[in-house]
């Protein structure tokens, strides 16, 4: 920017000098009578040396020669060309800067869009992951609660079972003590029985009828009558079995049953009479003792 300003200032300073010099040359030519017609002020192209050659009075040719020989004009032309190049370079640089700025903005917008899309995708993934984790944690917590509840129920049953087992153990210990005491008693009784049997081996065998000895006459009579009653009942039973099997005829069965029935009736009547007599005597004895 400083070089461009210096070039513009140099061109502006050189332009009036060149114009004054050109006017002096035209006035000298008019005084000398060379050339007809009114003088025409030079244009910027003629000053800068870009005026095309003209035919006729040869003015364009003289001006071309002047511009080509004048160093100020060449310097002004060079400055103008440099300014045009600098302006073009500046324009191109501005266009490049605008292009870079547009590209930068586009890249920034694209980056922002990509970040926004990435954030949206990240949010969706985070939401999906959170939902999935919540579902799995819910399932895990449900299973854990069921397992804990089952364990607690089993623990309660085990505690109740432990109480039952302890009670059963105590009962078994008590039974064991009872059995041990009974075993001691059983051993003592077995020893007593063994001793008794050993002492009885040397004694004389006693008849069965002598094992039961009534204390009085009436008791002996009652024992005999009761034995007779049961014996007749057994005989009647076997007579009925024999009749059913056809071992004895009916008339023999009837005669025998009639005779045995009479004997059983007499035995039972006599037995009842003795019981009544003994009861009467026992009641009199009690009354006399009471008196």
């Amino acid at each position: 920017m400083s070089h461009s300003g210096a070039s513009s200032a140099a061109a502006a300073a050189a332009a009036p000098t060149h114009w004054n010099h050109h006017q002096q040359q035209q006035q000298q030519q008019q005084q000398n009578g060379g050339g007809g017609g009114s003088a025409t002020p030079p244009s910027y192209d003629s000053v800068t040396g870009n005026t095309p050659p003209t035919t006729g009075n040869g003015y364009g040719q003289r001006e071309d020669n002047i511009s080509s020989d004048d160093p100020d004009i060449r310097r002004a032309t060079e400055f103008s060309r440099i300014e045009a190049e600098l302006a073009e370079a500046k324009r191109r640089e501005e266009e490049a800067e605008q292009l870079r700025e547009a590209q930068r903005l586009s890249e920034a917008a694209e980056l922002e869009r990509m970040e926004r899309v990435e954030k949206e995708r990240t949010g969706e993934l985070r939401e999906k992951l959170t939902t999935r984790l919540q579902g799995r944690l819910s399932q895990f917590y449900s299973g854990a609660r069921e397992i804990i509840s089952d364990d607690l129920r089993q623990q309660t049953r085990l505690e109740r079972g432990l109480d039952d087992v302890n009670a059963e153990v105590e009962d078994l210990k008590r039974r064991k003590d009872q059995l041990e005491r009974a075993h001691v008693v059983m051993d003592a009784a077995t020893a007593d029985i063994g001793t008794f049997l050993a002492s009885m081996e040397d004694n004389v065998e006693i008849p069965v009828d002598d094992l039961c000895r009534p204390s009085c006459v009436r008791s002996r009579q009652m024992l005999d009558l009761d034995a007779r009653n049961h014996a007749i009942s057994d005989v009647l039973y076997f007579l009925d079995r024999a009749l059913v099997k056809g071992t004895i005829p009916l008339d023999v069965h009837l005669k025998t049953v009639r005779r045995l029935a009479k004997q059983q009736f007499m035995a039972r009547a006599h037995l009842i009479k003795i019981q009544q007599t003994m009861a009467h005597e026992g009641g009199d004895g009690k009354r006399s003792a009471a008196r």
Side-chain angles (χ1 to χ4, degrees):
M1 296 298 294
S2 61
H3 180 69
S4 176
S7 300
S8 301
T17 304
H18 179 71
W19 173 254
N20 294 330
H21 180 69
H22 188 67
Q23 282 183 345
Q24 291 176 1
Q25 288 181 355
Q26 286 184 350
Q27 289 175 1
Q28 290 177 2
Q29 289 177 1
Q30 290 177 359
Q31 290 176 1
N32 294 328
S38 61
T40 304
S43 64
Y44 180 79
D45 292 335
S46 63
V47 173
T48 57
N50 294 326
T51 304
T54 57
T55 57
N57 56 4
Y59 178 76
Q61 186 177 2
R62 286 195 304 269
E63 194 170 292
D64 189 15
N65 293 330
I66 292 171
S67 63
S68 61
D69 294 336
D70 193 352
D72 294 333
I73 295 176
R74 288 197 301 271
R75 189 179 299 111
T77 303
E78 185 67 21
F79 284 159
S80 299
R81 184 181 61 79
I82 291 172
E83 286 181 355
E85 290 178 356
L86 289 174
E88 182 67 21
K90 184 178 179 181
R91 185 183 62 78
R92 291 180 180 178
E93 184 178 357
E94 290 178 354
E95 290 179 355
E97 183 65 25
Q98 292 177 359
L99 181 61
R100 285 194 298 271
E101 183 67 18
Q103 186 176 2
R104 186 181 65 79
L105 293 175
S106 177
E107 290 177 356
E110 183 67 19
L111 182 60
E112 184 179 359
R113 187 186 65 80
M114 291 178 65
E115 290 179 354
R116 187 171 61 255
V117 172
E118 187 68 22
K119 287 182 179 179
E120 292 177 356
R121 292 181 60 186
T122 304
E124 292 178 357
L125 291 175
R126 185 181 293 109
E127 184 177 358
K128 290 181 180 179
L129 182 60
T130 303
T131 304
R132 185 175 299 177
L133 287 176
Q134 288 177 353
R136 291 188 178 180
L137 288 175
S138 178
Q139 294 177 359
F140 174 76
Y141 289 153
S142 299
R145 283 195 295 269
E146 292 178 358
I147 293 173
I148 292 172
S149 300
D150 190 16
D151 291 341
L152 291 175
R153 288 194 296 270
Q154 290 182 1
Q155 183 177 0
T156 304
R157 288 197 298 268
L158 290 175
E159 289 177 354
R160 290 197 298 266
L162 180 61
D163 296 337
D164 297 338
V165 169
N166 292 331
E168 188 70 21
V169 169
E170 294 296 330
D171 185 54
L172 290 175
K173 288 181 179 179
R174 186 173 60 255
R175 290 186 181 183
K176 180 182 178 181
D177 296 336
Q178 293 176 357
L179 290 174
E180 288 178 351
R181 290 194 296 269
H183 188 268
V184 173
V185 174
M186 184 67 68
D187 290 341
T190 303
D192 294 339
I193 292 173
T195 303
F196 176 75
L197 291 176
S199 63
M200 292 298 293
E201 288 180 355
D202 298 335
N203 295 334
V204 181
E205 186 177 355
I206 300 173
V208 177
D209 294 335
D210 295 338
L211 292 176
C212 184
R213 295 178 180 181
S215 60
C216 62
V217 177
R218 286 192 178 89
S219 297
R220 181 181 294 276
Q221 288 178 349
M222 289 181 65
L223 181 61
D224 293 338
L225 291 172
D226 188 63
R228 185 180 181 82
N229 178 31
H230 285 86
I232 292 172
S233 297
D234 293 338
V235 173
L236 291 174
Y237 172 75
F238 284 105
L239 285 173
D240 292 337
R241 294 290 301 276
L243 178 64
V244 172
K245 291 181 179 180
T247 305
I248 59 176
L250 180 59
D251 53 350
V252 175
H253 176 270
L254 292 176
K255 290 178 181 180
T256 306
V257 169
R258 188 180 300 113
R259 186 177 64 254
L260 292 175
K262 289 179 181 181
Q263 293 177 3
Q264 188 177 27
F265 174 76
M266 293 303 295
R268 289 180 178 178
H270 195 187
L271 182 62
I272 293 172
K273 185 64 176 176
I274 293 172
Q275 289 178 352
Q276 292 176 354
T277 302
M278 291 180 66
H280 182 68
E281 290 178 356
D284 293 341
K286 292 180 180 180
R287 283 194 296 271
S288 61
R291 289 175 184 177

